[in-house]
């Protein structure tokens, strides 16, 4: 297998999220899409026809393709571990949708399997690689607000019941607002402030059952409103609210430092706006936003380029495992009403260059 040229990848999972990945990956010259797999083979074939991907089939047949170097795992959360391990055992690098696994022990198994085989693991969300949050990281490193002291994160809304065709899995283990939306906010905070060291939390479930747009009723197995206090190893602290129980949608992410506050874009997006307000200012001022805003799949591209260059990729399995453990400890802290420690992690991703271009051909 060549160590030069575009990276050969396959997708496993042709569900709702796959279109967003395919919209991006099918247009990037440093990526070569070879195959799409799904348990519903007809669905995989339909996606392959739409995006002009040469191969489609079930997961086993796609994992058997020797040309495939990296598998993008877009299955439902309950299948993330099984599919990731199967891909690694087939000799493929893996990039997965979030969360990395349902529990940290399984996430650690995935990383251990990769290390044993000399392979890599990447994981969503990769929105922190977009122009908005990358510009924020560069501003923070340049001292725009002095030394970071605290952060506030809020993501709330009525939940996915009304718009998702099959929303029940959002309310199963591995779902809920914490595990569904939390990775975007916690990954952004970790990329900007460093690793979380300790958490405390409260949580509740407002309704034992939910009703999908189809009229079907399904049970709720996870908290639907979570509030957490996080301490970061580098000193700052943060408050965070994750809720599917609010009729008013709201997204907020702010970091306050010794010299001012920076208002960040929705971390579920790749763009701005980015604003700053320093002590003495009468209002917010815009900050320049520079970087990529292509969409989901930037983490796959960064991983592809890093593999070819022998460098570390940014949306790493280690980062995803730290976020998964943080969410797990938040859940435990809410259940036990006690503070929970988070395993240290010491590899905060370096920012992308401001002129990083997904559409450039760098691996020809």
């Amino acid at each position: 297998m060549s160590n030069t040229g575009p990276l050969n990848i396959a997708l496993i999972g042709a569900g709702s999220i796959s279109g967003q990945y395919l919209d991006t990956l099918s247009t990037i010259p440093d990526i070569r899409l070879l195959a799409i797999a799904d348990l519903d083979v007809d669905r995989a074939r339909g996606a392959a026809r739409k995006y002009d991907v040469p191969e489609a089939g079930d997961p086993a047949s796609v994992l058997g393709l020797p040309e495939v170097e990296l598998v993008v795992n877009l299955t439902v959360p309950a299948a993330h571990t099984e599919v990731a391990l199967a891909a690694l055992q087939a000799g493929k690098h893996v990039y997965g949708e979030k969360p990395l696994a349902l529990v940290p022990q399984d996430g650690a198994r995935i990383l251990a399997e990769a290390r044993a085989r000399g392979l890599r693991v990447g994981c969503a969300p990769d929105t922190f690689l977009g122009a908005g949050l990358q510009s924020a990281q560069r501003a923070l490193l340049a001292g725009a607000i002095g030394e970071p002291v605290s952060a506030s994160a809020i993501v709330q809304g009525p939940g996915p019941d009304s718009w998702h065709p099959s929303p029940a899995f959002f309310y199963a283990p591995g779902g809920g607002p914490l595990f569904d939306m939390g990775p975007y906010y916690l990954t952004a905070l970790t990329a900007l402030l460093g690793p979380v060291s300790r958490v405390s939390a409260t949580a509740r479930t407002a309704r034992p059952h939910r009703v999908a747009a189809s009229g079907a009723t399904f049970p709720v197995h996870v908290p639907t409103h979570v509030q957490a206090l996080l301490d970061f190893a580098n000193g700052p602290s943060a408050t965070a609210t994750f809720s599917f129980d609010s009729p008013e949608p709201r997204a907020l992410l702010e970091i306050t430092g010794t010299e001012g506050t920076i208002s960040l874009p929705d971390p579920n997006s790749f763009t701005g706006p980015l604003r700053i307000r320093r002590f003495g200012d009468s209002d917010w001022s815009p900050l320049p936003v520079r970087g990529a805003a292509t969409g989901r799949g930037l983490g796959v591209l960064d991983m592809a380029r890093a593999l070819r260059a022998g460098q570390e990729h940014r949306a790493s399995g280690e980062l995803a495992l730290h976020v998964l453990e943080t969410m797990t400890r938040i859940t435990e802290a809410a259940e036990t009403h006690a503070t929970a420690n988070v395993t240290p992690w010491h590899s905060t991703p370096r920012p992308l260059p401001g002129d990083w271009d997904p559409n450039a051909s760098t691996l020809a």
Side-chain angles (χ1 to χ4, degrees):
M1 189 176 296
S2 174
N3 289 320
T4 61
L7 197 78
N8 295 325
I9 74 168
L11 268 66
I12 296 183
S16 299
I17 195 67
S18 65
Q20 296 184 50
Y21 276 87
L22 288 164
D23 285 344
T24 299
L25 297 177
S26 64
T27 65
I28 290 176
D30 285 344
I31 294 290
R32 184 182 292 120
L33 275 166
L34 292 187
I36 300 175
D38 198 279
L39 293 176
D40 183 343
V41 175
D42 287 340
R43 184 163 66 175
R45 288 171 178 160
R49 284 193 298 271
K50 179 177 179 180
Y51 291 94
D52 197 25
V53 178
E55 299 282 345
D58 61 27
S61 66
V62 166
L63 288 178
L65 295 172
E67 302 88 353
V68 171
E69 298 172 83
L70 182 146
V71 167
V72 180
N73 179 8
L74 304 182
T75 56
V76 297
H80 284 182
T81 298
E82 177 185 358
V83 172
L85 290 173
L88 292 167
Q89 290 160 5
K92 321 296 187 186
H93 305 287
V94 176
Y95 181 96
E97 245 305 314
K98 50 82 182 171
L100 177 65
L102 295 186
V103 295
Q105 294 89 333
D106 284 343
R109 284 175 59 206
I110 293 170
L111 297 187
E113 185 75 22
R115 284 193 297 270
R117 295 177 179 272
L119 297 168
R120 294 203 198 186
V121 175
C123 191
D126 57 1
T127 45
F128 78 96
L129 299 178
L133 292 174
Q134 286 295 300
S135 296
Q137 185 177 17
R138 290 191 290 268
L140 290 173
L141 290 173
I145 60 169
E147 182 181 350
V149 175
S150 64
S152 299
I154 300 174
V155 55
Q156 63 183 37
D161 317 18
S162 63
W163 60 265
H164 197 280
S166 303
F169 77 91
F170 285 102
Y171 298 89
L178 175 59
F179 277 77
D180 178 47
M181 297 305 299
Y184 298 106
Y185 288 77
L186 295 171
T187 300
L189 287 172
T190 300
L192 296 173
L193 299 178
V196 177
S197 61
R198 183 173 57 183
V199 301
S200 56
T202 61
R204 63 167 295 178
T205 301
R207 288 171 277 165
H209 295 86
R210 293 267 180 154
V211 180
S214 64
T217 300
F218 56 89
V220 176
H221 298 288
V222 293
T224 51
H225 182 89
V226 179
Q227 291 180 287
L229 176 64
L230 304 96
D231 288 329
F232 291 83
N234 295 334
S237 62
T239 58
T241 299
F242 311 99
S243 183
F244 283 167
D245 293 331
S246 172
E248 174 66 22
R250 188 181 182 202
L252 179 144
L253 188 61
E254 293 180 352
I255 297 175
T256 294
T258 54
E259 305 298 328
T261 297
I262 187 168
S263 176
L264 306 169
D266 181 349
N268 191 15
S269 71
F270 290 86
T271 58
L274 193 62
R275 302 180 302 161
I276 190 168
R277 186 168 182 171
R278 297 181 176 90
F279 288 103
D281 290 351
S282 60
D283 203 351
W284 294 93
S285 299
L287 282 175
V289 174
R290 186 181 180 209
T294 307
R296 298 187 195 280
L298 290 183
V300 179
L301 173 60
D302 178 60
M303 187 172 175
R305 290 177 175 175
L307 279 165
R308 289 289 190 253
Q311 299 173 348
E312 291 185 2
H313 58 288
R314 292 168 175 83
S316 67
E318 290 78 11
L319 172 58
L321 180 58
H322 180 74
V323 170
L324 174 60
E325 185 183 353
T326 299
M327 295 188 297
T328 302
R329 300 296 170 249
I330 289 172
T331 301
E332 292 173 357
E335 291 172 348
T336 62
H337 305 290
T339 299
N341 293 325
V342 182
T343 304
W345 177 70
H346 303 289
S347 186
T348 302
R350 67 196 186 284
L352 288 165
D355 59 354
W356 191 78
D357 183 2
N359 297 311
S361 180
T362 68
L363 302 180

